[in-house]
């Protein structure tokens, strides 16, 4: 058998000793009570024969050898009269060595099973060491440090229900002595320790292992606190953030109710009360269920409960219990007791339905069910009074969270407000509340605008997207017409009918038209023809004795379920565009979060046949007196680099897209600050003022502009096009290009071209430079800044 100090790291060297207990018996031996005196002398005489009981021992074999004598010494602490009621042990503190216990404790451990190991479930190893040190400070050095925490055993019963027991220690029979190796403890040491409870190394420095001797034993008085623990756990599980999203939440919740109601077979369900629709709805979530709704999502209140139960729950807010479902089913009318029918169909034998209600009325129903008759009843339903307030609070909080989430989703999906400008909206909202609610004024929501901000615009766009979609449409329609032609041709051979010939003529006519390309209304015309003329003909053939049924079924299987036409090539095109938008947007959003760390600025992006982005940077957005033009230059450098990275990301994974499309990138430079205003009707920012409107016009039209004197578009595959109007912009971006050429992101073939005039806009030019596609992935976390540019120029 191991020694007492085997694998235990502690400032103590432990010794089991009954010296302090024997000292008390020495006092009692002089008592005037002759019976008490005689008994005390008998105990002392027994101990005299075995001096190790007073001197102390570490060899655990002594416990076995002196078992009878130890029981005699502890007979007053372990009364035979109370042994079947009290839960009590004699042991070493924070140790699994028990050398005397009450009969009830033995029974509890026996019911737990042969594999059960008794441990204190909330005692971390480091805390054990520090707790021992604080005991030394209190007992040996006279400090009054409140370090006590309640300790618990977690012990399963024979029925499988987990029960919880609180441990209270009686340390009257313990002694602590310092060895010669124990460092002297000063007030400075104590002051330092008071601020460093979690610093285990510091505690070990002040109280090295095995530098004090702990002699004696403790009496553990143990109490069943399962109900209190269950209530506390229910409270913490319901209140704690994110607990209810845990996939094990319902399983754990059921386990708690098993302990709380002392019923091994119990399941938990929930219903939500929809006051507007007068229905009960299912609660959605991991493991959530309803035994009253069973396999449906929602049902009217009158179809879930009988009138009596409905009134009890909704009007009186009192629980309804059914202790014996089978008996209730036999005695009731199935039409009048829907709740009993639902339970009986699922084999449930007893149930409690508890209303979850606050001052405003019913919010939902807690369902407790068991497969054991009479396990749940009106008596133990009363125990729910202690836990329902926490469930009510959790449901209230959940409703508030859901409402907030709905508002957040509406804002995100419908009226997105970028974090950089959120402060201005919050400021305006606070003013609106103050004036309209607290001061009873009738004022409009104040204008949201930002002056003197510098714009940046960029886009990565699919080249020839209209031609690509037209080609996909042409292929789909031609394919479907060919399939239809084969079937109609066979139908004509079976039976020559004029209507077959007329439809065949139209099919061939459309096929010939498609060979020369697709016109504006071709898709609509041919689709209408296929749905309203070919479709009904094939339906008729299916119902007849035609031998073409298999061919027609095969034709129908090729049609899109929703559109009722062949949508293969168009689907590939649509999926490619969606995937390009998704991947490019994700990359841009990720990089944008990193750009915000350089300097806060407004950002928004849009999905078209590619991805566009707007950015505005300036003093009025940040609210701080910190803006410098260097931050604008940094953002311009960042923009060039991100456009190159997006192109690299697309072309390096082009083989993964359903069809092969090309993209082209463009940046629009506008070197004058402008004002932007949030337009409440459109729920988005736009430039403010007539002068600034020129910028918006250029943004909308510039990607369709041609290089002057050519039929070449400004945007071109494989090249980054930078559109500008001022000579200083040209000089600035030529420096940037030269910098990125040195970094091997851009090629050496820089072109300066003039653009054809746009409606109302003249004098635009563009820098066009090849993007170098990297075979190896660049460092995702490295962005070049204006300082890098300046350093490169100096070098």
């Amino acid at each position: 058998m191991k020694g007492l100090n085997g694998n235990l790291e502690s400032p103590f060297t432990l010794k089991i000793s009954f010296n302090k207990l024997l000292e008390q018996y020495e006092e009692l031996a002089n008592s005037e009570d002759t019976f008490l005196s005689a008994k005390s002398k008998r105990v002392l005489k027994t101990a005299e024969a075995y001096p190790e009981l007073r001197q102390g021992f570490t060899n655990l074999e002594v416990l076995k050898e002196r078992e009878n004598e130890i029981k005699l010494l502890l007979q007053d602490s372990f009364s035979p009269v109370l042994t079947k009621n009290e839960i009590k042990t004699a042991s070493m503190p924070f140790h699994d060595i028990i050398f005397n216990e009450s009969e009830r404790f033995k029974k509890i451990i026996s019911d737990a099973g042969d594999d059960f190991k008794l441990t204190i479930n909330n005692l971390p190893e480091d805390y054990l060491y520090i707790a021992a040190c604080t005991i030394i400070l209190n007992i040996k050095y006279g400090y009054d440090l409140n370090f006590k925490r309640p300790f618990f055993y977690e012990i399963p019963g024979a029925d499988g229900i987990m029960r919880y027991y609180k441990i209270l220690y009686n340390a009257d029979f313990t002694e602590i002595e310092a060895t010669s190796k124990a460092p002297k403890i000063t007030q400075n040491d104590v002051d330092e320790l008071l601020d460093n409870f979690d610093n285990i190394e510091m505690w070990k420095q002040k109280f090295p292992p095995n530098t004090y001797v702990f002699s004696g034993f403790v009496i553990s008085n143990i109490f069943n606190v399962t109900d209190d623990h269950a209530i506390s756990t229910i409270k913490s599980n319901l209140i704690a953030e994110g607990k209810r999203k845990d996939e094990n939440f319902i399983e754990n919740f059921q386990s708690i109710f098993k302990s709380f109601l002392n019923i091994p077979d119990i399941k938990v369900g929930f219903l939500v009360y929809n006051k507007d629709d007068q229905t009960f709805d299912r609660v959605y979530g991991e493991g959530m269920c309803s035994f009253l709704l069973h396999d449906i999502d929602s049902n009217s209140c009158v179809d879930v409960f009988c009138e009596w139960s409905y009134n009890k729950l909704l009007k009186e807010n009192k629980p309804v219990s059914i202790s014996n479902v089978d008996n209730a089913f036999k005695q009731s009318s199935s039409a009048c007791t829907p709740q009993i029918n639902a339970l009986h169909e699922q084999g449930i034998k007893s149930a409690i339905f508890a209303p979850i209600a606050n001052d405003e009325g019913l919010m939902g129903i807690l369902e407790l069910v068991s497969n054991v008759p009479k396990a749940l009843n009106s008596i133990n339903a009363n125990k729910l009074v202690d836990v329902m307030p926490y469930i009510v609070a959790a449901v209230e909080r959940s409703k508030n969270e859901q409402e907030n989430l709905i508002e957040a989703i509406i804002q995100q999906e419908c009226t997105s407000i970028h974090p950089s400008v959120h402060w201005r909206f919050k400021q305006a909202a606070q003013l609106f509340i103050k004036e309209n609610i607290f001061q009873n004024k009738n004022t409009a929501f104040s204008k949201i605008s930002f002056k003197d901000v510098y714009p940046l615009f960029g886009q990565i766009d699919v080249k020839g997207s209209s031609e690509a979609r037209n080609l996909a449409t042409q292929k789909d329609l031609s394919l479907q017409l060919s399939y239809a032609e084969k079937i109609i041709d066979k139908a004509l051979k079976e039976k020559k009918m004029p209507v077959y010939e007329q439809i065949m003529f139209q099919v061939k006519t459309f096929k010939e038209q498609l060979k020369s390309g697709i016109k504006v209304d071709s898709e609509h015309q041919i689709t209408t023809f296929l749905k309203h003329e070919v479709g009904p003909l094939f339906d008729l053939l299916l119902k007849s004795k035609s031998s073409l049924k298999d061919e027609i079924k095969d034709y129908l299987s090729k049609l899109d379920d929703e559109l009722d036409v062949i949508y293969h090539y168009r689907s590939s095109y649509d999926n490619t565009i969606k995937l390009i938008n998704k991947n490019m947007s994700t990359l841009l959003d990720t990089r944008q979060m990193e750009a915000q760390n350089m300097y806060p600025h407004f950002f928004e992006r849009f999905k078209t046949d590619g991805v566009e982005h707007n950015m505005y940077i300036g003093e009025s957005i940040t609210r701080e007196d910190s803006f410098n033009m260097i931050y604008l230059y940094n953002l311009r450098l960042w923009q060039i680099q991100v456009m190159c990275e997006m192109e690299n990301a697309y072309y390096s994974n082009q083989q993964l897209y359903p069809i092969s499309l090309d993209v082209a990138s463009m940046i629009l430079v506008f070197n004058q600050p402008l004002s932007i205003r949030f337009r409440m009707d459109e729920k988005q920012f736009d430039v403010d003022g007539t002068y600034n409107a020129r910028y918006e016009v250029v943004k909308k039209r510039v990607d369709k502009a041609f290089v002057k004197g050519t039929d070449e578009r400004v945007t071109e595959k494989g090249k980054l096009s930078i559109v500008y109007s001022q000579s200083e912009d040209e000089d600035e971006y030529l420096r940037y290009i030269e910098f990125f050429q040195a970094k091997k992101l851009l090629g050496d073939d820089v072109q300066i071209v003039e653009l054809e005039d746009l409606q109302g806009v003249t004098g635009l030019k563009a820098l066009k430079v090849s993007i170098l596609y990297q075979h190896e992935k660049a460092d995702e976390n490295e962005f070049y800044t204006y300082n890098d540019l300046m350093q490169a120029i100096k070098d």
Side-chain angles (χ1 to χ4, degrees):
M1 185 179 288
K2 289 181 182 178
L4 185 59
N5 296 289
N7 295 320
L8 184 68
E9 185 179 35
S10 168
F12 291 131
T13 296
L14 300 176
K15 287 201 307 182
I16 300 174
S17 166
F18 300 92
N19 179 57
K20 294 288 284 185
L21 177 64
L22 293 171
E23 286 180 353
Q24 290 202 22
Y25 275 117
E26 286 172 346
E27 292 182 14
L28 293 173
N30 298 319
S31 173
E32 294 180 358
D33 185 328
T34 55
F35 176 78
L36 184 59
S37 175
K39 184 174 72 170
S40 300
K41 290 176 181 178
R42 187 168 65 252
V43 170
L44 291 169
K45 185 175 181 181
T46 300
E48 284 177 8
Y50 306 101
E52 65 270 23
L53 296 179
R54 185 185 284 270
Q55 295 168 2
F57 56 88
T58 59
N59 185 356
L60 297 179
E61 292 288 349
V62 176
L63 289 174
K64 190 173 182 181
E65 294 169 1
R66 301 289 172 257
E67 183 178 0
N68 292 331
E69 290 78 13
I70 290 172
K71 282 185 177 181
L72 178 64
L73 265 60
L74 296 173
Q75 64 180 341
D76 288 333
S77 299
F78 290 81
S79 168
V81 176
L82 301 175
T83 189
K84 292 184 179 180
N85 181 270
E86 291 184 331
I87 311 173
K88 183 181 286 190
T89 67
S91 65
M92 294 303 287
F94 314 127
H95 212 296
D96 60 356
I97 303 300
I98 295 174
F99 47 85
N100 205 47
E101 62 269 291
S102 66
E103 290 298 323
R104 186 176 174 191
F105 180 81
K106 287 181 182 178
K107 177 72 166 53
I108 290 169
I109 298 301
S110 174
D111 288 345
D114 296 336
D115 297 333
F116 177 73
K117 180 175 175 60
L118 185 69
T119 57
I120 298 174
N121 69 335
N122 61 333
L123 187 60
E125 185 176 338
D126 285 353
Y127 180 85
L128 175 61
Y129 197 103
I130 295 170
C133 295
T134 54
I135 290 172
I136 295 170
L137 287 172
N138 280 8
I139 296 177
K140 183 67 180 173
Y141 295 101
Y143 288 96
D144 184 17
L145 301 180
N146 185 5
F147 65 93
K148 294 180 181 178
R149 285 179 55 199
F151 295 117
F152 297 92
Y153 287 137
E154 205 172 287
I155 307 174
D159 53 10
I161 295 175
M162 188 63 70
R163 293 180 175 85
Y164 301 86
Y165 300 86
K166 186 175 182 179
I167 310 162
L168 295 180
Y169 289 111
N170 182 338
D172 289 348
F173 309 113
T174 61
E175 299 174 275
I176 296 175
E177 293 295 333
T179 68
S180 59
K181 296 180 180 179
K184 184 179 179 182
I185 301 299
T186 66
Q187 184 62 50
N188 287 339
D189 291 326
V190 175
D191 292 343
E192 193 176 1
L193 291 169
L194 288 175
D195 292 325
N196 289 278
F197 180 84
D198 293 328
N199 189 340
I200 183 64
E201 296 305 321
M202 182 179 291
W203 287 91
K204 287 182 178 179
Q205 181 186 0
K206 310 292 186 187
F207 300 92
N210 306 119
T211 52
Y212 292 82
V213 177
F214 180 99
S215 301
F217 67 98
V218 294
I219 301 289
S220 300
N221 293 287
I222 304 167
F223 302 91
N224 188 334
V225 292
T226 300
D227 284 1
D228 293 339
H229 186 275
I231 293 171
S232 176
T233 306
I234 288 172
K235 178 182 177 181
S236 61
N237 277 12
L238 291 172
I239 291 176
E241 194 71 41
K243 279 274 189 178
R244 281 160 286 153
K245 296 178 183 177
D246 191 326
E247 61 182 12
N248 297 318
F249 172 73
I250 283 294
E251 185 179 336
N252 295 337
F253 207 54
Q254 289 177 166
S255 177
I256 295 165
F257 269 102
K258 288 177 183 179
S259 299
F260 181 58
L261 295 175
N262 200 28
I263 300 172
D265 174 72
I266 198 169
K267 293 178 182 177
V268 179
F270 292 95
L271 280 178
V272 172
Y273 174 55
N274 186 331
K275 185 178 180 180
D276 294 334
D277 298 334
Q278 282 295 294
T279 60
F280 283 114
D281 302 332
R282 179 185 298 278
V283 177
Y284 292 99
E286 193 72 42
M288 294 287 189
C289 68
S290 168
F291 301 98
L292 288 170
L293 292 179
H294 192 26
D295 55 359
I296 61 176
D297 292 333
S298 180
N299 204 354
S300 65
C301 295
V302 294
D303 290 332
V304 174
F305 287 108
C306 66
E307 185 178 358
W308 181 87
S309 300
Y310 177 86
N311 290 331
K312 187 102 170 168
L313 289 163
L314 271 76
K315 295 182 180 179
E316 299 179 30
N317 289 335
K318 291 183 179 179
V320 171
S321 61
I322 306 168
S323 63
N324 194 318
V325 173
D326 289 344
N327 285 349
F329 182 76
K330 292 175 185 176
Q331 297 169 10
S332 64
S333 166
S334 60
C336 299
T337 53
Q339 73 273 19
I340 293 174
N341 298 337
L343 298 175
H344 186 264
E345 287 175 6
Q346 298 169 72
I348 294 168
K349 304 301 182 184
S350 60
I352 295 173
F353 304 116
I356 305 171
N358 58 12
D359 293 340
E360 297 177 3
L362 187 72
M363 295 182 290
I365 303 288
L366 168 68
E367 306 172 337
L368 300 176
V369 302
S370 172
N371 291 325
V372 178
K374 303 178 183 178
L376 294 166
N377 51 68
S378 63
I379 296 175
N380 53 24
N382 281 282
K383 292 192 69 174
L384 297 177
V385 171
D386 295 325
V387 300
M388 291 309 295
Y390 305 118
I391 296 176
V392 169
V395 171
E396 287 176 329
R397 173 178 161 186
S398 182
K399 284 184 69 177
N400 291 334
E401 287 175 350
Q402 186 175 14
E403 289 172 4
N404 292 338
L405 179 60
I406 289 170
E407 290 302 317
I409 289 172
I410 290 171
Q411 176 174 305
Q412 178 179 325
E413 300 298 327
C414 308
T415 57
S416 180
I417 297 173
H418 193 264
S420 64
V421 296
H422 184 269
W423 66 271
R424 183 66 186 85
F425 286 86
K426 183 178 178 181
Q427 194 178 71
Q430 288 171 333
L431 179 62
F432 183 83
I433 291 170
K434 175 185 173 183
E435 292 182 343
N436 288 270
I437 296 178
F438 296 113
Q439 297 178 355
N440 293 319
K441 295 180 181 179
N442 187 19
T443 57
F445 200 83
S446 62
K447 175 182 174 181
I448 307 290
S449 62
F450 298 93
K451 295 180 179 180
D452 297 328
V453 293
Y454 290 88
L456 296 93
F457 174 79
Q459 69 173 38
I460 181 168
D461 198 29
V462 175
K463 291 291 290 179
S465 57
S466 298
E467 292 84 353
R469 193 189 188 285
N470 286 341
L471 180 61
T473 303
Q474 184 179 356
K475 287 181 178 180
D476 278 337
L477 295 176
S478 297
L479 184 62
Q480 189 170 351
L481 287 169
S482 295
Y483 286 143
E485 183 181 28
K486 290 179 182 178
I487 296 172
I488 297 168
D489 185 55
K490 290 182 180 180
L492 278 167
K493 290 176 181 177
E494 281 188 356
K495 184 181 291 187
K496 201 169 184 67
M497 295 180 66
V499 68
Y500 294 174
E501 293 179 356
Q502 187 273 327
I503 292 176
M504 175 65 87
F505 172 77
Q506 192 63 57
V507 167
K508 290 182 176 180
T509 301
F510 281 135
K511 283 186 69 178
E512 284 300 315
Q513 288 178 5
L514 287 174
K515 286 180 181 178
S516 59
I518 190 165
K519 298 177 182 178
V520 176
D521 59 346
S522 296
E523 182 175 7
H524 174 70
Q525 283 185 356
I526 297 173
T527 299
T528 301
F529 166 72
L530 288 167
K531 285 184 178 181
H532 299 297
E533 294 193 45
V534 174
L537 172 62
F538 287 176
D539 289 340
L540 181 64
L541 289 171
L542 281 173
K543 294 174 183 176
S544 68
K545 296 181 179 179
S546 172
S547 62
L548 301 173
K549 288 184 179 181
D550 289 340
E551 285 91 338
I552 293 172
K553 288 179 181 179
D554 181 60
Y555 167 86
L556 294 174
S557 70
K558 292 180 170 65
L559 305 186
D560 183 88
D561 292 336
E562 294 182 7
L563 301 173
D564 205 26
V565 293
I566 288 179
Y567 207 78
H568 173 73
Y569 292 103
R570 282 171 288 183
S571 177
S572 295
Y573 170 81
D574 291 343
N575 290 336
T576 300
I577 295 295
K578 287 178 185 176
L579 201 54
I580 291 173
N581 284 342
K582 177 186 174 184
N583 292 342
M584 296 301 100
S585 296
T586 300
L587 192 154
L588 182 60
D589 289 347
T590 302
R591 295 292 173 263
Q592 221 291 311
M593 287 188 285
E594 296 166 358
Q596 289 290 341
N597 293 328
M598 298 181 187
Y599 192 81
H601 56 277
F602 177 82
F603 169 83
E604 61 182 354
R605 62 159 173 77
F606 307 96
K607 294 179 182 178
T608 53
D609 281 348
V611 178
E612 299 178 357
H613 65 268
N614 282 323
M615 294 185 288
Y616 299 101
I617 186 170
E619 191 80 59
S620 61
I621 288 178
T622 57
R623 291 192 293 175
E624 299 175 3
D625 186 18
S626 59
F627 178 71
N628 188 289
M629 290 299 289
I630 286 180
Y631 295 121
L632 172 62
Y633 303 150
N634 271 334
L635 204 53
R636 287 175 172 173
L637 283 164
W638 170 89
Q639 187 182 34
I640 294 173
Q641 189 169 347
V642 167
M643 299 303 291
C644 293
E645 186 179 357
M646 290 168 71
E647 287 241 5
N648 270 280
Y650 173 71
Y651 280 110
S652 62
N653 295 293
Q654 192 177 23
Q655 73 280 3
L656 303 178
Y657 292 86
I659 61 175
S660 179
L661 296 173
D662 288 318
V663 297
S665 298
M666 183 200 74
I667 289 172
L668 174 62
V669 182
F670 196 81
N671 69 348
Q672 295 297 316
L674 46 75
S675 296
I676 58 173
R677 177 165 62 93
F678 187 78
R679 302 192 182 278
M680 295 295 178
D681 52 347
E682 299 175 9
K683 304 302 181 189
Q684 67 179 33
F685 277 97
D686 201 353
V687 295
D688 193 18
T690 305
Y691 171 76
N692 297 325
R694 180 174 181 271
Y695 174 69
E696 286 295 324
V697 171
V698 175
K699 267 196 335 186
K700 288 180 172 64
R701 300 175 182 173
V702 69
D703 65 323
K704 301 295 190 293
F706 290 94
V707 175
K708 185 171 282 189
T710 72
D711 58 357
E712 174 190 329
R713 285 273 178 88
V714 64
T715 55
E716 184 180 346
K717 173 194 171 185
K719 292 193 175 184
L720 175 64
S721 300
I722 303 170
V723 179
Y724 61 95
S725 61
Q726 303 296 321
S727 59
E728 53 262 41
D729 297 332
E730 181 179 301
D731 294 339
E732 179 183 341
Y733 275 86
L734 282 172
R735 291 200 304 272
Y736 297 161
I737 290 171
E738 185 179 357
F739 174 68
F740 284 119
Q741 287 171 336
K743 299 296 182 182
K744 306 299 182 185
L745 292 180
L746 297 175
D748 296 329
D749 56 339
V750 183
Q751 293 176 274
I752 302 175
V753 298
E754 294 184 28
L755 304 186
E756 294 282 359
D757 293 343
L758 300 174
Q759 185 177 355
V761 180
T762 60
L764 291 178
K765 299 173 74 175
L767 293 167
K768 298 179 69 173
V769 58
S770 293
I771 297 171
L772 298 182
Y773 297 108
Q774 311 293 326
H775 296 294
E776 295 184 7
K777 197 169 185 180
D779 185 353
E780 292 183 350
N781 296 318
E782 182 178 1
F783 279 102
Y784 299 113
T785 68
Y786 188 74
N787 289 336
D788 297 324
L789 173 64
M790 293 296 101
Q791 187 61 47
I793 292 173
K794 290 178 183 178
D795 294 343

